[in-house]
């Protein structure tokens, strides 16, 4: 198959669907070095047939096919290569034009040097030349001499002579055939003695070919044909031949009637032109053995993930093996060796077999699929392909008789939001009960909101109120993303049960971490165990952002360790405790828990897949954080006690004396590691590279508050706020633009210089009344911080205080000496100030 690749050492050969395929395999020399000559010869013989079958679909692999042709041109398989090139010129004619400069001279060399008896390579080369028609005139001096010699050397009456004459006539549409050399040669062919084995039909065919080619020359020469007319007429009289068509055209040629001659030439070329496509018979359907499939799709005995994977694999292969379509059935042996092919053709094979099943077999198959959907042991790796199969069957007007509610529940469980929305809408249109409509309305609002379609979610809610007279529920406000409205309602409600849990959800969505931490302390004991489990990820995030590590560790124990949140927060805690090996283990577990969600959104748009991708990026940031802290601890051990570490100052012990840097990067011990001068320099370079990577990544990150905050908080575990001032100022700007003014103020407060007279930036009410005192307190702060705080005051209607700050900043800038270049935002010094503008 085209998608085959050479096997690596110790690996069994298996075909693939992507990459260079067989063409790339042969171009790499895989056939000559790793396959037997018989296998390699077979592959080269089958490639032309594959090209003829796939036609224009092979255009992406054209460079690999050209590589095959060029690499094996001078080898023993020249005839197979010529056959491949001839087939390529038929189906990929226009795509081959850029390669004419390399290939046409090679074909001319074949015509010139071919000495075989039947001249098969030359005839194949002539057929390949036809595909380069518009590009042939510039190679006429290279092609015409060997072509004329080919006619002269051909055996009289042979099949080679006939095919050569026909090919020359087709090429005359592009090449200026030399009448002075070719006309006498053609006249000589008419009178040559032919072997006795040559029949009358062959003689007549050659005579017709000579006549056609002479007429073509006459039409092209026009008035110049008077030079050849006497010789042609004399030869015809000698042989007693009568060519009425030729005799009718001679007066027109001598009169130089170009329109009439062009029309005749066009009709002649149309008659002998080579067809681009041969008609093929429609393959007949093959019989489907329903009994062989019935026992195979039975799914009730599957209990483990491996059982389900084996069931899916065998079902996909057997559907191909029993398919009524010959093309699909021919793929079964390859699919058995290469499972990705079976998965790729699963839906098509299922549809082909479904059309041939009777009612009993269809009912049995649907029952097995429903059992797979509702089984608690079915993994997402099986559920997602089955959901895609349901959609595929529906698109092809063969919907499976499976309840839409079942499909929607499974899609929601797998995180396939788009599929869940489709099936929920189908369920909504088929549901008539008002109570059921309320449940569906909430689900539709949630799904539309998750798919970043707030207008559609609001439309569903309005339609439910108008047509079903449904009352708006409090949870629907959350589904619509109207967190402020929902929070106000929750705060007026009794602080217990579902109301307390809803308030925590709203505070989490609004990033009010301090309020969330206080609210959770007040209501935690009043919540049920189930509600505590649901609120645990929210409270853990609040404790983390508030740097309440002990409380975070207590609540993180309630989060299941096999979920993304459980693994992530445990990794953060382990990193804070300097248990780096344990942190790496938790990162791996969180990534494993995230894989099904990433697989479910693999075909979605980037905006829909953004949140899971951000989670995956956070795990990578935790790994970089671990590496950075370990290296910094190793450097701190070398500098101790001269300079403390910018983060938690604990050194690690080297695990191997041969590479102290690698040992420091992998050990989770708190003992000191003694780094040499070279190792310390390498560690500094790696830390600088990580800081630059963090800075560039944030600059390219989407401007969403929920994406920025976890990343910037992670880095705060290794870098002081002043070391990433640019990031914190940008984060404050995002908070201000999102209406999170309190979060903006607290974020900017972290950038106050050490020894500042105020511990945090005043709220806007205080700044309005004490504008001059606030300005004096910020006299030593960085200009970027002052400017960002002024914008905060302006948004909060404290315009007078903002203007005062800006005037003082201008006065300070005017009185200051010429500024030196600002320190880089990624400087390792804690007091470094970034030079990026606000």
């Amino acid at each position: 198959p085209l998608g085959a690749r050479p096997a690596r050492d110790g690996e069994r050969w298996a075909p693939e669907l992507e990459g260079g395929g067989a063409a790339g395999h042969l171009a790499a020399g895989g056939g000559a070095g790793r396959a037997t000559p018989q296998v390699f010869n077979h592959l080269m013989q089958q490639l032309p047939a594959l090209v003829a079958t796939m036609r224009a679909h092979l255009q992406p692999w054209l460079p690999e096919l050209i590589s095959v042709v060029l690499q094996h041109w001078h080898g023993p398989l020249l005839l197979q290569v010529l056959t491949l090139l001839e087939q390529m010129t038929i189906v990929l004619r226009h795509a081959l034009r850029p390669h004419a400069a390399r290939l046409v001279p090679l074909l001319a060399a074949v015509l010139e040097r071919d000495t075989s008896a039947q001249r098969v390579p030359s005839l194949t080369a002539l057929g390949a030349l036809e595909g380069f028609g518009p590009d042939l005139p510039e190679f006429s001096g290279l092609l015409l001499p060997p072509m004329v010699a080919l006619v002269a050397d051909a055996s009289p009456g042979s099949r080679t002579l006939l095919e050569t004459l026909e090919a020359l006539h087709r090429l005359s549409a592009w090449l200026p055939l030399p009448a002075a050399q070719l006309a006498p040669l053609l006249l000589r062919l008419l009178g040559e003695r032919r072997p006795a084995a040559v029949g009358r039909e062959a003689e007549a065919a050659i005579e017709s070919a000579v006549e056609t080619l002479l007429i073509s020359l006459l039409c092209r020469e026009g008035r110049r044909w008077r030079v050849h007319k006497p010789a042609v007429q004399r030869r015809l009289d000698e042989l007693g031949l009568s060519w009425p068509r030729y005799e009718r055209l001679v007066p027109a040629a001598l009169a130089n009637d170009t329109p009439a001659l062009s029309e005749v030439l066009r009709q002649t070329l149309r008659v002998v032109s080579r067809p681009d496509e041969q008609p093929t018979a429609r393959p007949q359907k093959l019989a489907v053995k329903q009994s062989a499939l019935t026992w195979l799709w039975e799914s009730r005995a599957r209990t483990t993930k491996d059982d389900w994977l084996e069931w899916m694999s065998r079902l996909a292969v057997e559907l191909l093996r029993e398919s009524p379509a010959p093309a699909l059935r021919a793929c079964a042996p390859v699919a058995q060796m290469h499972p990705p092919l079976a998965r790729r053709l699963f839906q098509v094979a299922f549809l082909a077999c479904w059309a041939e099943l009777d009612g009993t077999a269809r009912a049995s198959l649907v029952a097995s699929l429903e059992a797979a959907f509702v089984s608690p042991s079915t993994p997402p790796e099986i559920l997602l392909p089955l959901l895609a199969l349901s959609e595929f069957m529906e698109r092809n007007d063969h919907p499976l008789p499976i309840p839409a509610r079942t499909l929607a529940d499974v899609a929601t469980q797998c995180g396939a939001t788009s599929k869940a929305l489709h099936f929920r809408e189908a369920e909504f249109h088929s549901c008539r009960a008002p109570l059921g409509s309320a449940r569906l309305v909430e689900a539709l609002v949630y799904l539309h909101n998750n798919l970043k379609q707030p207008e559609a979610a609001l439309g569903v809610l309005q339609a439910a109120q108008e047509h079903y007279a449904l009352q708006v529920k409090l949870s629907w406000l959350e589904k619509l993303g109207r967190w402020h409205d929902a929070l106000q309602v929750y705060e007026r409600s009794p602080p217990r049960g579902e109301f307390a849990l809803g308030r925590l959800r709203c505070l989490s969505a609004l990033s009010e971490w301090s309020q969330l931490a206080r609210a959770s302390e007040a209501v935690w004991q009043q919540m049920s165990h189930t509600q505590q489990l649901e609120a645990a990820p929210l409270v853990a995030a609040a404790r983390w952002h508030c740097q309440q590590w002990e409380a975070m560790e207590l609540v993180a124990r309630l989060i299941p360790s096999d979920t993304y949140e459980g693994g992530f927060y445990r990794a953060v805690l382990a990193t804070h405790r300097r248990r780096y090996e344990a942190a790496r283990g938790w990162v791996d577990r969180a990534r494993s828990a995230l894989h099904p969600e990433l697989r479910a959104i693999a075909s979605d748009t980037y905006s829909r897949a953004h949140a899971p991708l951000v989670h995956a990026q956070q795990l990578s940031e935790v790994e970089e954080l671990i590496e950075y802290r370990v290296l910094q601890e190793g450097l701190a051990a070398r500098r101790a006690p001269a300079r403390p570490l910018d983060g938690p100052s604990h050194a690690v012990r080297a695990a191997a004396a041969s590479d102290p840097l690698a040992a420091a990067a992998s050990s989770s011990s708190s003992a000191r590691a003694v780094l040499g001068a070279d190792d310390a320099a390498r560690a500094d370079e790696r830390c600088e590279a990580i800081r630059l990577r963090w800075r560039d990544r944030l600059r390219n990150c989407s401007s969403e508050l929920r994406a920025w905050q976890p990343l910037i908080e992670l880095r705060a575990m290794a870098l002081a706020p002043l070391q990433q001032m640019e990031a914190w100022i940008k984060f404050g700007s995002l908070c201000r633009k999102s209406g999170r003014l309190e979060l903006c103020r607290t974020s900017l407060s972290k950038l106050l210089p050490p020894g500042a007279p105020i511990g945090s930036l005043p709220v806007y009410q205080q700044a309005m009344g004490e504008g001059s005192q606030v300005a004096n307190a910020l006299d030593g702060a960085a200009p970027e911080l002052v400017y960002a705080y002024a914008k905060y005051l302006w948004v909060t209607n404290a315009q007078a205080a903002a203007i005062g700050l800006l005037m003082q900043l201008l006065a300070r800038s005017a009185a200051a000496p010429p500024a030196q270049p600002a320190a880089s935002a990624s400087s390792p010094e804690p007091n470094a100030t970034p030079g990026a503008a606000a």
Side-chain angles (χ1 to χ4, degrees), residues 400-743:
L400 297 176
I402 299 177
R405 180 171 184 175
T406 301
L407 297 174
D409 291 342
V410 173
T412 305
Q413 171 189 342
C414 296
T417 312
S418 300
K419 292 181 175 61
L421 177 61
H422 170 71
F423 294 124
R424 286 295 181 204
E425 288 177 339
E427 182 187 2
F428 180 83
H429 291 304
S430 62
C431 180
R432 301 183 180 277
L435 184 59
S437 298
R439 173 185 60 82
L440 291 173
V441 165
E442 182 173 356
L444 290 173
V445 169
Y446 169 76
L447 293 172
H448 278 299
N449 195 55
N450 272 10
L451 293 175
K452 311 298 182 183
Q453 298 172 350
E455 295 85 359
L458 186 59
V460 170
L461 193 59
Q462 292 176 349
Q465 291 178 293
E466 294 176 2
H467 300 290
Y468 296 94
L470 298 177
Q471 297 296 324
V472 177
K473 294 185 177 181
L474 188 55
S475 59
W476 294 1
L477 296 176
E478 297 183 41
K479 301 296 188 299
L480 286 171
R482 297 167 61 177
W483 300 104
H484 285 287
D485 297 339
L487 180 61
Q488 293 177 2
V489 177
Y490 282 129
E491 288 179 342
R492 294 194 299 266
S493 304
R496 60 178 178 271
E498 187 61 32
F499 294 105
L501 185 59
R503 184 187 179 194
L504 297 183
R505 287 195 299 266
C506 294
L507 292 174
S508 174
L510 295 172
S511 300
E512 300 291 350
W513 305 116
S514 300
Q515 293 187 43
L516 198 159
R518 292 192 298 269
S520 64
E521 292 178 357
V523 302
W524 192 256
Q525 299 301 327
Q526 304 174 17
M527 301 174 67
S528 65
H529 180 68
T530 302
Q531 292 171 341
Q532 289 180 351
L533 293 178
E534 185 177 350
L538 309 177
V539 179
R543 301 297 186 186
W544 174 37
H545 291 298
C546 295
Q547 307 294 305
Q548 300 173 0
W549 300 106
E550 299 296 335
M552 178 183 176
E553 186 170 7
L554 293 176
V555 74
R557 296 173 184 173
L558 298 176
I559 307 176
S561 60
D562 57 349
T563 62
Y564 166 78
E565 291 82 3
F568 176 75
Y569 290 125
R570 285 175 172 85
V572 171
L573 283 169
T575 303
H576 174 71
R577 307 294 187 195
R578 298 182 301 280
R579 297 195 292 265
Y580 299 125
E581 289 301 326
R584 291 189 181 97
W586 287 118
V587 168
D588 292 339
R589 296 187 66 172
R591 188 172 284 123
S592 299
L594 193 60
H595 280 169
E597 187 175 1
L598 292 173
R599 190 181 298 110
I601 51 90
S603 59
D604 280 353
T605 61
Y606 179 78
S607 60
R608 298 177 182 178
H610 184 258
L613 292 176
V614 169
H615 290 162
Q617 184 60 53
Q618 290 173 7
L619 297 178
S620 299
E621 295 255 344
V622 173
E623 293 175 328
E624 293 172 347
L625 171 66
I626 294 171
E627 179 186 5
Y628 185 87
R629 288 186 53 149
V630 170
L631 292 173
Q632 285 291 301
E633 290 175 359
L635 291 172
R638 175 179 171 80
R639 295 191 296 263
R643 194 166 98 183
L645 180 68
D646 51 357
S649 57
H650 290 270
V652 296
R653 180 175 51 209
S658 59
D659 190 357
L661 179 59
S666 61
S667 174
S668 60
S669 172
S670 60
R672 297 182 181 274
V674 181
L675 297 179
D678 293 340
D679 296 329
R682 288 168 53 201
D684 273 328
E685 291 178 1
R686 288 167 65 175
C687 291
E688 177 68 17
I690 292 175
R691 287 192 292 267
L692 290 176
R693 191 184 311 146
W694 286 349
R695 184 185 64 187
D696 294 340
R697 190 177 293 150
L698 272 184
R699 285 177 176 176
N700 296 325
C701 183
S702 62
S703 300
E704 293 187 13
L705 196 62
R706 303 289 292 185
W708 269 67
Q709 190 163 14
L711 298 180
I712 202 171
E713 290 288 356
L714 277 174
R715 298 167 189 187
M717 299 174 65
L719 298 174
L722 290 177
Q723 288 182 261
Q724 47 176 349
M725 176 179 285
E726 179 184 354
W728 279 105
I729 288 179
K730 175 62 176 177
F731 178 69
S733 175
L734 293 177
C735 295
R736 186 185 69 252
K737 294 176 181 178
S738 302
R740 315 289 170 79
L741 299 179
E742 179 60 19
L743 186 58

Side-chain angles (χ1 to χ4, degrees), residues 278-354:
Q278 298 294 335
T280 56
R282 186 178 182 86
Q284 298 295 324
K285 287 186 177 181
L286 303 176
V288 177
K289 298 179 182 178
Q290 300 186 19
S291 58
L293 292 174
T294 303
W295 69 270
L296 186 65
W297 63 51
E298 181 58 43
S299 61
R300 292 181 177 83
R302 318 297 171 182
T303 56
T304 65
K305 179 179 179 180
D306 292 337
D307 291 341
W308 283 108
L309 293 176
E310 180 187 3
W311 173 79
M312 189 68 175
S313 176
R314 293 180 60 186
L315 179 60
V317 173
E318 289 301 323
L319 286 173
L320 287 173
R321 185 173 285 118
E322 297 298 332
S323 172
L328 291 176
R329 188 171 292 194
C331 296
V334 182
Q336 190 166 10
M337 293 188 299
H338 187 55
L341 178 60
R343 292 195 293 268
R344 183 74 176 270
L345 299 177
F346 171 65
Q347 298 176 0
V348 181
F350 186 95
L351 176 60
C353 292
W354 176 267

